[in-house]
Amino acid sequence: MTEETIFSKIIRQEIPTPLLYQDDLVSAFRDIAPRVDSHILIVPNKLIPTINDVSQEDELTLGRMITVAKKLAKEEGIDESGYRLIINCNSDGGQEVYHIHMHLLGGQPLGAMLSV
Ligand code: 5GP
C-alpha cells in the first residue's frame, strides 16, 4: 500500500501551509527549508510516490506541473533571470518525500547543474 506523506495533508489543507496555486490536478507551496531565494514545490494532488510510478494516465498532470511552474516563475519575477526545475527520484536522486514534487528554484545564480 502507498503511504501518504505530509504533502497530502498540505494539499487537503489539514496543516496550515499557504498554497501558491491549486487546481484539480496540482498544488504548489513554498519549501519549508528553502535552499535558494525562491524555492517552490509543485506537486500532483494524487499521491504518486516516485517518477518510477507514473503512468500514461498521469501525463496531463505532469504537463500541468510544468505550466504551473512557468506561471509561478513569472509571478516570482524570476522568469527572465532564470530558474531550475528538479524532480528527485529515490535515494541516489536525493528524494526525501515519497510524493512526487517538482522543485522550482531561482532568485539567484544557481551555479553548476549538480555537485556530487
Ligand atoms: P526531495 O528531497 O524529496 O526532493 O525534497 C523534499 C522537499 O520537501 C525538501 O526540500 C524539504 O525541505 C521539503 N519539505 C519537507 N517537509 C515539508 C513540509 O512539511 N512542508 C514544506 N513546505 N516543505 C517540506
Side-chain angles (χ1 to χ4, degrees), residues 6-7 10 15 17 29-33 35 39 41 88 94-97 101 103:
I6 190 88
F7 288 0
I10 293 173
I15 59 171
T17 297
F29 46 88
R30 292 194 190 279
D31 196 290
I32 201 169
R35 314 302 200 283
H39 188 172
L41 302 175
N88 295 321
Q95 184 171 5
E96 293 170 0
V97 178
H101 47 283
H103 297 257

Side-chain angles (χ1 to χ4, degrees), residues 41-76:
L41 302 175
I42 300 154
V43 307
N45 295 338
K46 168 187 164 187
L47 170 50
I48 307 170
T50 79
I51 285 291
N52 290 335
D53 301 304
V54 300
S55 62
Q56 215 169 356
E57 70 181 27
D58 299 319
E59 286 177 356
L60 184 61
T61 300
L62 298 169
R64 184 73 57 84
M65 288 166 71
I66 299 273
T67 54
V68 169
K70 170 193 155 181
K71 170 184 157 58
L72 292 174
K74 187 168 177 60
E75 286 176 13
E76 290 284 287

